[in-house]
Amino acid sequence: MKTFNKIFLFGLAILFAWGCEKEEERAILSTGAAPVVTLSSKSVVLNKDNATKEALTISWAADYGFNAAATNTILIDKKGGDFSKASSITAGSDLKKTFTTAELNGILLGLGLAPGTPADIDIKITATMGAATVLSSTVSSLTATPYLDKLDLSSPWGVVGSATTNGWDGPDMPFYKTEVPNVFVAYVTLKDGEIKIRENNNWAVNYGGTNGVLKKDGDNIAVKAGTYKITFNPVALTYKVEKYSWGIVGSAFNNWGATPDAPLKYDPSVDLWAGVVTLTDGDIKIRKDNDWGVNYGGTNGVLKENGDNIAVKKGTYLITVDFKKMKYTIAKYAPWGIVGDATATGWGEKPDQKFSYDLSTETWFLNNVVLKDGQIKFRLNDDWGVNYGSTSSNEPDPIAASGALKDGGKNFGVKAGTWNFILDVKDPAKPTYKATKVK
C-alpha cells in the first residue's frame, strides 16, 4: 500500500510540474500592450495643388508580449467625438499609414470640417485580435485645415418667376460668379412667362427692368420659352438675356442636326460644360445654339473653331468642354448603381438606382435614396461583372459610415431610412465608400 501511495504522489507531482510548465508557455498579454501612436506632424494645412503629395503619416507600435496577428484600424473623428461616427481606415497588419493630401482632405470634409478653417481632430488606433480582444490607443490630436474640393462660383443671386421651374416661390435658379468683378451669369431653361432677379431667395432685394436696365422693385421681365444665358451686374444695374446652349452634333449622334443636338450642361463646380451622350461609330462636333454659326472640332483634346470632325466609336461617353482653355475630353461612361432587397429595384429585377458622377472630386454620389431593412451592394452598369461589397467575412456586414470595398465582397446590411452614398473608385485597387443616414 505504501508503494502504491508513493507512486500515486509521484504521478501527481509530475502532472503538477507539467501543468506549470504549460502555464508558463501560454501567451500572456503584456501590461501596456495598447498601441502607442506617433504623428508625423501636429498641424497640417492642406492645399489642392499638393493633392498627390504626402500630407500625414500615422504610425504606431505595440508590445503584446508575444507574436500577435492583430488587425489594425485607424479612427479619425472631430475633437471630442466618441468615435461612433469616425472615419474608419483599415490598415490590416501594417503599423503605418501615409495619407496623401487628397485622401486626408476627403476624410476631413467627410467629418464636416469647414474648408479653409483650422480645426482639431482626434486620432486613435484599435488592434483587434481574435473575436474578443480589442485594444485601443490613447487619443492623439491634430490641427488640420482642409481645402474646398470644389470650385466655389456660388453667389446669393438668383432668377425667379413664372417662367422658371419653381415659379415665383423659388428656390431660385442660381447666378454664378465670373472672372469679371460684379458680373454674374445664369444658364437657364425657361418657359413663356416673366422673371425677376433677387437676392438670397428673398423679396427684400429684387430687381426688374426693361431694355437691359434694372431697377430695384422694378417691372417683371417678359421672356419666351428657350435656353438662355442671363448676365447681371448689381452695381451697374444692367442685365442681358440671350439665347445660349452648347451641344453635340454629328453623324455619330443626330445625322448632323436632323434632330436637336445632345445638350451639354454647365457644371459650376469645375467651370466646364459636360454631358453623357450615347454615340454610334462616326464623327461629332460641338456647336452653339443648335446652329453652325459657332462650332468647334479638334484633335487630341484641343478645340479649334471650325476645326476637324472628331472621330468616335460606338458607346456611351462623358464629354466635357472647357471653353476657357479650349480643351475637351471624351471618356467611356458606365454608371454605378445600388442593388439589393433593401432597394426599390431588388436584386436586379429592375435597373439599379444610379449614381451620378461628380467631376470636381471624381467620385460617384447617390443622394436621398430610400431604403428598407435589408441588404445592398454596389455594381457597375446593371451587371454583376463588377460588384462591390464589404471586406468583412460576415454576411450581411452592418454598413459603417465609411470603409473599404471589395469586388465580389459580402453584402452590406442597412436599416430603413433615407441615405446618401459616395463611391470613390478612382483607384480600382483601393475602392472606398461613405454612407450617411439622413433620416
Side-chain angles (χ1 to χ4, degrees), residues 114-429:
T117 303
D120 291 333
I121 59 173
D122 289 339
I123 299 170
K124 74 174 181 180
I125 306 297
T126 61
T128 304
M129 291 175 287
T133 303
V134 179
L135 301 174
S136 295
S137 72
T138 57
V139 175
S140 298
S141 294
L142 168 74
T143 300
T145 305
Y147 58 82
L148 184 67
D149 212 17
K150 296 184 178 182
L151 184 64
D152 186 8
L153 295 179
S154 61
S155 84
W157 298 101
V159 180
V160 65
S162 62
T164 70
T165 304
N166 298 319
W168 288 108
D169 295 325
D172 304 349
M173 304 175 83
F175 276 95
Y176 301 111
K177 298 173 186 174
T178 70
E179 65 275 12
V180 181
N182 299 316
V183 174
F184 301 88
V185 65
Y187 301 103
V188 295
T189 298
L190 303 174
K191 53 191 175 183
D192 288 348
E194 296 177 325
I195 61 170
K196 295 192 83 172
I197 298 168
R198 65 178 183 172
E199 187 177 32
N200 294 322
N201 289 276
N202 189 288
W203 287 108
V205 179
N206 74 89
Y207 294 104
T210 55
N211 300 321
V213 179
L214 291 171
K215 181 180 179 182
K216 192 172 186 295
D217 302 317
D219 294 335
N220 298 343
I221 302 168
V223 294
K224 294 292 186 182
T227 301
Y228 295 92
K229 175 183 178 180
I230 303 177
T231 307
F232 160 61
N233 188 320
V235 176
L237 289 181
T238 59
Y239 75 96
K240 183 179 181 181
V241 181
E242 57 184 315
K243 284 272 193 178
Y244 195 89
S245 66
W246 289 101
I248 303 299
V249 65
S251 61
F253 180 72
N254 62 349
N255 193 25
W256 294 113
T259 58
D261 299 350
L264 299 178
K265 184 179 178 181
Y266 180 68
D267 188 334
S269 69
V270 284
D271 199 17
L272 300 176
W273 290 79
V276 175
V277 187
T278 298
L279 303 173
T280 60
D281 290 343
D283 296 329
I284 62 169
K285 296 191 83 170
I286 299 155
R287 66 176 183 171
K288 183 181 175 185
D289 298 334
N290 286 272
D291 186 88
W292 288 108
V294 179
N295 73 89
Y296 294 96
T299 55
N300 300 320
V302 178
L303 285 177
K304 183 180 179 181
E305 189 167 2
N306 301 315
D308 295 335
N309 296 344
I310 302 168
V312 295
K313 295 291 185 182
K314 180 179 179 180
T316 300
Y317 297 89
L318 173 64
I319 299 176
T320 68
V321 184
D322 186 335
F323 290 109
K324 292 180 179 176
K325 296 180 180 178
M326 297 302 290
K327 302 282 187 181
Y328 70 91
T329 66
I330 302 177
K332 279 278 192 180
Y333 182 89
W336 285 89
I338 186 172
V339 65
D341 59 17
T343 74
T345 57
W347 285 111
E349 295 84 358
K350 298 178 182 178
D352 302 347
Q353 292 172 271
K354 298 297 189 300
F355 283 73
S356 298
Y357 188 66
D358 188 330
L359 283 166
S360 64
T361 60
E362 298 180 343
T363 58
W364 296 83
F365 66 93
L366 176 61
N367 291 336
N368 298 316
V369 58
V370 177
L371 301 177
K372 52 192 173 183
D373 288 346
Q375 301 177 28
I376 61 167
K377 295 189 83 172
F378 308 109
R379 65 176 185 169
L380 186 65
N381 213 25
D382 292 313
D383 190 88
W384 288 108
V386 179
N387 71 90
Y388 285 140
S390 169
T391 59
S392 170
S393 59
N394 301 320
E395 188 167 37
D397 179 33
I399 198 162
S402 63
L405 293 168
K406 180 181 179 181
D407 192 6
K410 300 295 184 180
N411 297 344
F412 286 110
V414 296
K415 294 294 185 181
T418 302
W419 291 78
N420 292 345
F421 295 98
I422 297 175
L423 300 183
D424 187 339
V425 293
K426 291 189 291 291
D427 183 351

